[in-house]
Amino acid sequence: EAVVSTQSTGVYAATVAIMGRDGTGEGPRRIKQLAENTRYFRKELQRRGYIIYGELCSPVVPLLLFRISSICAFAKHALARGVAPVIVGFPATPILGSRVRFCMSASHTRDQLDKILEMLEEMEPYLTMKLSRRRRPLPSSK
């Protein structure tokens, strides 16, 4: 297939790999793994009582922190544990809509995702992030 002049060779190669046309099967495998990681992480957060935004299949997972004061505390705690959080607060969000965004990757392992979940559980008593009013717990994804 010809590469269009406005399309770089790298973008073309990535597109061919993602579509599975490179003969390795790596692209479809990674897409499947990304979907599995995303579903697992979102379901675990919901099951544990955290409020998250977005669609079940979206690999960007915004978890509500609510209070502006929670942003710095969350960032410091996460960084001390080797996690670089993407935090967003006012004026980019509503005043009580502060959040942390987790960006899922196909290269994340289940162990890495579980460590993030454990870190959140450690922080919960100090930041009060579990504010879901969901009455029925979701079944465990494990």
Side-chain angles (χ1 to χ4, degrees):
E1 298 176 26
V3 177
V4 179
S5 62
T6 59
Q7 186 180 35
S8 75
T9 305
V11 171
Y12 178 76
T15 303
V16 168
I18 288 170
M19 294 172 66
R21 294 184 183 171
D22 64 347
T24 67
E26 189 65 16
R29 184 197 67 76
R30 287 185 184 201
I31 290 171
K32 182 181 177 195
Q33 186 61 49
L34 175 60
E36 288 175 9
N37 286 350
T38 299
R39 278 192 300 271
Y40 171 76
F41 193 68
R42 282 181 170 275
K43 286 182 179 179
E44 277 300 304
L45 288 172
Q46 287 178 326
R47 187 182 69 77
R48 294 167 186 243
Y50 297 101
I51 297 176
I52 58 175
Y53 282 165
E55 297 295 321
L56 183 62
C57 60
S58 174
V60 177
V61 184
L63 181 144
L64 292 181
L65 299 175
F66 298 101
R67 294 175 303 281
I68 293 174
S69 60
S70 297
I71 292 176
C72 289
F74 186 95
K76 286 179 182 180
H77 189 86
L79 286 170
R81 281 154 184 74
V83 176
V86 178
I87 51 177
V88 185
F90 184 80
T93 67
I95 195 82
L96 294 176
S98 298
R99 63 196 73 174
V100 58
R101 288 185 180 141
F102 295 101
C103 301
M104 297 292 99
S105 168
S107 63
H108 286 131
T109 64
R110 184 64 58 98
D111 186 51
Q112 290 171 325
L113 298 177
D114 287 340
K115 285 181 181 178
I116 298 294
L117 293 166
E118 289 172 24
M119 179 190 74
L120 291 170
E121 293 297 312
E122 289 174 12
M123 297 167 73
E124 167 56 26
Y126 306 103
L127 300 180
T128 318
M129 299 176 289
K130 290 184 180 182
L131 297 173
S132 177
R133 291 186 180 169
R134 185 181 293 269
R135 293 288 181 224
R136 55 183 172 81
L138 294 174
S140 175
S141 299
K142 294 182 180 182

